[in-house]
Amino acid sequence: CWGLLLHQPCSVPAISRQAQTTKKIFISWLLFLSLPDCPPLGLESLRVDDSQIQASSYQRSGLGPHRGRLNIQSGIEDGDLYDGAWCAEYKDQHQWLQVDAIYHTLFTGVILQGRNSIWSWDWVHTYKVQLSNDSVNWETCMNGTEEAIFEGNQNPETPVLGRLPVPTVARFIRINPQTWYFNGTICLRAEIMGCRVDDPTDIYASERELGSKDDLDFRHHNYKEMRKLMKSVTEECPDITHVYTIGKSYMGFKLYVMVISDNPSKHELGEPEFRYVAGMHGNEVLGRELVLNLMQYLCREYKKGNQRVVRLVTETRIHLLPSMNPDGYEDAYVKGSELAGWADGRYSFEGIDLNHNFPDLNNIMWDAQETAADKSKVSNHYIPIPEYYTKEDAMVAPETRAVISWMQDIPFVLSANLHGGELVVTYPFDCTRDWAPVEDTPTADNAFFRWLATVYASTNLVMANPDRRICHSEDFQSHNNIINGGAWHTVPGSMNDFSYLHTNCFEVTVELSCDKFPHASELPIEWENNKESLLVYMEQVGIKGVIRDKLTKQGIADAVIKVEDHDHDIRSAADGDYWRLLNPGEYKVVVWAEGYFPSMRRCNVGMEPHPTICDFTMTKTPLQRLKEIRAKGGKIPQDLQLRLRALRLRKLRASTKAINRRRESQRLQQARKARSTGAQRA
């Protein structure tokens, strides 16, 4: 039966049409019952190539068949090359969009969506489905004895699934619109659901199988399943894992974090703190699954003795937050990977976009610089949160407050914020000056941020592929798949900018996939696409060290670390340790701390994958020692008395010299003035 179905065309004269139809229905249902729910062919994920999509007609190239992909987003202007759907040139019932699955496929359904446009409203109300093995002879999908009419859309954005009454094996499928929005035209975006039917005569089938050799839990995890997975990892690797919560969402879901390190429960002197944050937008789910996969991978590879992973775990404290917006995720999860649309679940339960919800410290800093007489005196780091933001009635999501508190509690050094819907890595600043919609807005660490973004993008298997198709309307390959956030679009109140200006932490945003909610069947290959990037990003270095008191050897907290020619400072942590991310090179580093003389060193960052140790010892000023002794009610030592006396004498001499210079300058001015007056009289 399989051979008959796959290799004999529908018009074989030896078999009556009725017998052939009965046989095909029987085999189709047999296949359908033996397989799980069929995945999408990959129009949205770009697994289906443009060459596999054809149409009866199209209005122009920007509305060609290659644009008929589920959730594809248009450019800003109608009439450009990147519009938001396939649109037929003619308004009649003979128009069609055709997909070649390449292999014989058990087709089970069609998902339809209208045109994405801010200017036009176009969608298909009803349609027929036609199937073929050779693209010449077509059979219309039947519902009993009548041609099946499928319900399409009632608006441009909500995806609608139409299930075939009888799942059917074929190679080609056509969507044939019958009715459409009365004030619009025939436009649609689509995804096709189907399972590939293996051909027993294809000896190369196994070589084409895509997936991962890592035995990880490749599926979508709702809140309950996410907790189970995290618990299983801690049970498997109890010595290097620790799970804690940083707060709750509006709906009461806990924001769980897993730490992976050789001493996971506390900060160790000199060990950098790293974080991955996923799920800020609840419907951008790939980051969530990659972070869960990373937990499993680090645990198992550490146990196997993988030296790279062992070094990461022993030298870094890795914090993994898989779901910053669990309320939004649960909303998208219920609808499923193909039916959540482009925006369902993006926002928090309160309707807040969490990536616009952090304090806008950029404009506070820029405004202060514009009004300051001396710009060098304006703080360029640890900018405080404005008072209005801390009030109870401020429109700040509980998820945002929890993450801010987390950032303030732990001295994070490096982070990445995992998003979806594009293939690009963006770096600060995300917010533009003067509210420009698009403008390159670099930080003082622009060179290093570009390096960080390049590290991820160049090792991501999809981003690094020069032959890949653009996701929607922007060609990020022309920028090497990295871009300044403001040069893409302005984002006031982003987590990246806040992290840079309020803490020591450098953070980029990684847009992981064209498809915000990839089907579970695509998760293994997405893991392979991102595995090396996730690992190498955590390995980025600069200088690190401990700032200590010269006499007591105790660490000095809140010391300011200044790097010459880098107008962005950082501060030491509670134990006096610090980390400064820098590109390879030699740097003049000056450390300042209240009550101490400044300390300067030259520190060299090499090409090796480990940080340069650059420790500092600092000497207290005599005045600081005097304050501490007086505070304790103690007697001032003779050596300190002598130093204070000498210090007063130096100050007195300096002030005397200054007064004498000023007096001499005034005397010379008066003499010149007198000579000038005498000359005029003469």
Side-chain angles (χ1 to χ4, degrees):
C1 289
W2 283 47
L4 177 71
L5 178 66
L6 297 177
H7 301 295
Q8 290 200 17
C10 296
S11 58
V12 175
I15 307 173
S16 71
R17 184 176 181 84
Q18 184 176 1
Q20 187 182 28
T21 302
T22 303
K23 191 179 292 289
K24 291 176 77 173
I25 291 173
F26 172 75
I27 295 172
S28 295
W29 272 107
L30 189 65
L31 286 169
F32 182 66
L33 293 172
S34 67
L35 292 167
D37 288 344
C38 287
L41 291 191
L43 276 78
E44 181 178 11
S45 67
L46 306 186
R47 200 163 62 246
V48 172
D49 189 74
D50 286 350
S51 62
Q52 294 173 242
I53 313 172
Q54 297 182 8
S56 54
S57 66
Y58 52 91
Q59 293 179 14
R60 50 185 167 78
S61 59
L63 293 167
H66 64 293
R67 302 297 293 176
R69 298 172 180 271
L70 188 72
N71 284 322
I72 203 164
Q73 302 296 294
S74 68
I76 298 298
E77 301 291 340
D78 277 356
D80 62 16
L81 295 175
Y82 305 108
D83 220 313
W86 161 67
C87 291
E89 183 178 5
Y90 308 106
K91 291 185 182 183
D92 60 48
Q93 294 181 335
H94 302 294
Q95 304 305 306
W96 45 260
L97 181 75
Q98 173 182 309
V99 178
D100 177 3
I102 303 296
Y103 308 102
H104 284 93
T105 300
L106 180 68
F107 292 110
T108 61
V110 172
I111 298 174
L112 224 59
Q113 202 176 29
R115 176 182 177 181
N116 175 253
S117 172
I118 60 176
W119 311 108
S120 305
W121 275 38
D122 303 292
W123 59 83
V124 169
H125 278 310
T126 61
Y127 62 97
K128 294 180 181 179
V129 173
Q130 299 167 340
L131 301 163
S132 173
N133 283 330
D134 57 10
S135 77
V136 176
N137 300 294
W138 293 86
E139 291 186 8
T140 301
C141 184
M142 305 296 288
N143 188 9
T145 59
E146 297 181 349
E147 293 184 343
I149 301 293
F150 296 87
E151 292 293 326
N153 304 106
Q154 299 300 317
N155 62 62
E157 292 298 332
T158 305
V160 176
L161 170 64
R163 294 186 181 276
L164 273 60
V166 179
T168 306
V169 173
R171 173 175 167 176
F172 300 89
I173 185 169
R174 276 183 180 176
I175 301 168
N176 173 215
Q178 297 297 296
T179 60
W180 43 92
Y181 179 54
F182 76 96
N183 201 28
T185 188
I186 299 174
C187 294
L188 62 86
R189 294 175 285 168
E191 183 60 87
I192 308 297
M193 310 301 288
C195 297
R196 179 179 165 185
V197 178
D198 290 330
D199 183 350
T201 66
D202 185 358
I203 61 175
Y204 300 105
S206 60
E207 297 180 12
R208 288 191 296 268
E209 289 297 321
L210 299 176
S212 173
K213 294 180 180 179
D214 296 322
D215 184 20
L216 307 177
D217 189 6
F218 294 118
R219 61 191 176 97
H220 289 294
H221 299 77
N222 62 14
Y223 179 74
K224 183 177 179 181
E225 291 163 340
M226 180 188 74
R227 288 178 53 179
K228 284 183 179 179
L229 185 145
M230 295 176 74
K231 182 180 179 183
S232 70
V233 173
T234 58
E235 290 173 347
E236 188 175 352
C237 295
D239 295 335
I240 63 167
T241 59
H242 170 65
V243 174
Y244 63 96
T245 178
I246 62 172
K248 291 183 179 181
S249 71
Y250 184 86
M251 293 300 292
F253 293 112
K254 292 182 179 180
L255 306 181
Y256 285 107
V257 178
M258 175 176 284
V259 184
I260 300 179
S261 185
D262 58 341
N263 193 354
S265 298
K266 66 176 184 178
H267 173 72
E268 291 186 278
L269 188 70
E271 188 168 273
E273 306 276 355
F274 177 91
R275 70 171 182 257
Y276 274 129
V277 177
M280 170 178 269
H281 295 144
N283 62 333
E284 297 169 15
V285 307
L286 180 56
R288 175 192 184 104
E289 298 308 324
L290 289 176
V291 167
L292 295 175
N293 293 153
L294 184 61
M295 294 175 187
Q296 297 173 286
Y297 179 81
L298 292 176
C299 165
R300 293 171 186 176
E301 292 301 306
Y302 180 84
K303 291 176 69 176
K304 291 177 184 177
N306 180 322
Q307 287 304 300
R308 184 185 192 185
V309 171
V310 169
R311 186 176 68 252
L312 269 173
V313 171
T314 56
E315 296 180 2
T316 313
R317 192 165 176 239
I318 303 164
H319 302 251
L320 304 175
L321 171 60
S323 186
M324 181 178 167
N325 180 7
D327 297 352
Y329 175 83
E330 294 299 312
D331 182 29
Y333 178 83
V334 169
K335 294 174 182 175
S337 64
E338 316 311 317
L339 298 179
W342 189 249
D344 289 353
R346 173 186 176 90
Y347 305 100
S348 72
F349 184 84
E350 300 170 278
I352 297 172
D353 187 330
L354 300 183
N355 203 34
H356 292 257
N357 198 222
F358 287 80
D360 176 10
L361 305 182
N362 306 55
N363 284 289
I364 291 175
M365 180 180 71
W366 293 329
D367 290 346
Q369 289 174 346
E370 287 182 5
T371 57
D374 184 356
K375 291 184 179 181
S376 65
K377 299 294 177 65
V378 176
S379 178
N380 60 29
H381 72 296
Y382 273 46
I383 298 172
I385 296 174
E387 184 179 351
Y388 74 85
Y389 189 88
T390 61
K391 294 181 178 179
E392 289 188 9
D393 60 348
M395 185 59 71
V396 183
E399 298 89 344
T400 309
R401 293 186 189 275
V403 169
I404 289 176
S405 178
W406 184 41
M407 291 178 173
Q408 293 171 334
D409 289 343
I410 297 173
F412 288 112
V413 180
L414 181 60
S415 172
N417 184 9
L418 306 182
H419 285 236
E422 256 298 352
L423 280 166
V424 68
V425 183
T426 73
Y427 53 90
F429 285 122
D430 292 330
C431 181
T432 59
R433 283 179 180 260
D434 303 319
W435 306 102
V438 174
E439 183 179 65
D440 186 54
T441 313
T443 66
D445 289 283
N446 191 56
F448 189 77
F449 270 120
R450 287 181 60 82
W451 169 255
L452 283 178
T454 300
V455 161
Y456 200 102
S458 63
T459 53
N460 180 282
L461 298 185
V462 180
M463 292 188 201
N465 179 5
D467 298 322
R468 75 170 177 87
R469 183 194 186 281
I470 65 171
C471 289
H472 301 286
S473 61
E474 299 192 62
D475 182 11
F476 290 113
Q477 283 188 300
S478 62
H479 304 283
N480 295 315
N481 302 301
I482 69 170
I483 192 169
N484 173 265
W488 184 15
H489 57 265
T490 187
V491 182
S494 79
M495 187 164 73
N496 288 5
D497 289 0
F498 175 80
S499 180
Y500 182 67
L501 292 175
H502 187 68
T503 75
N504 289 337
C505 187
F506 287 28
E507 180 174 280
V508 302
T509 291
V510 183
E511 299 283 351
L512 294 161
S513 169
C514 301
D515 188 349
K516 288 186 175 184
F517 199 146
H519 191 270
S521 62
E522 297 171 12
L523 295 179
I525 189 61
E526 290 291 2
W527 165 252
E528 289 299 319
N529 290 339
N530 287 276
K531 179 170 68 173
E532 176 61 23
S533 306
L534 291 167
L535 295 173
V536 73
Y537 186 80
M538 291 190 285
E539 296 172 330
Q540 299 315 298
V541 298
I543 60 174
K544 75 170 188 177
V546 182
I547 301 167
R548 290 186 172 92
D549 184 289
K550 186 176 181 179
L551 293 177
T552 67
K553 308 303 180 187
Q554 295 295 310
I556 301 172
D558 276 334
V560 178
I561 297 94
K562 295 177 176 287
V563 179
E564 189 176 44
D565 298 326
H566 286 65
D567 191 22
H568 181 79
D569 306 330
I570 63 164
R571 298 198 181 206
S572 59
D575 296 328
D577 46 353
Y578 78 94
W579 306 263
R580 183 57 163 96
L581 297 170
L582 293 164
N583 284 327
E586 185 178 77
Y587 299 91
K588 178 182 175 182
V589 182
V590 180
V591 176
W592 300 74
E594 186 176 355
Y596 289 86
F597 290 114
S599 179
M600 189 276 284
R601 281 192 63 180
R602 291 196 175 274
C603 306
N604 186 69
V605 179
M607 300 297 294
E608 301 81 12
H610 55 77
T612 299
I613 306 298
C614 206
D615 294 329
F616 289 84
T617 56
M618 303 191 74
T619 302
K620 285 181 182 175
T621 64
L623 287 176
Q624 179 64 24
R625 289 181 62 193
L626 179 62
K627 287 179 184 178
E628 292 175 0
I629 291 169
R630 284 176 172 169
K632 294 177 181 178
K635 186 178 179 180
I636 301 174
Q638 188 174 2
D639 68 317
L640 181 56
Q641 291 181 25
L642 293 173
R643 291 187 64 184
L644 287 170
R645 190 177 301 159
L647 181 63
R648 292 192 192 102
L649 286 172
R650 282 199 299 271
K651 286 185 175 180
L652 180 61
R653 290 193 194 102
S655 61
T656 301
K657 285 182 180 179
I659 291 170
N660 289 338
R661 281 196 298 268
R662 190 161 55 248
R663 285 174 177 172
E664 180 65 17
S665 175
Q666 290 173 351
R667 188 186 66 78
L668 291 172
Q669 286 179 359
Q670 289 174 354
R672 283 195 295 268
K673 187 176 180 181
R675 285 196 298 270
S676 175
T677 303
Q680 288 176 0
R681 288 176 179 174

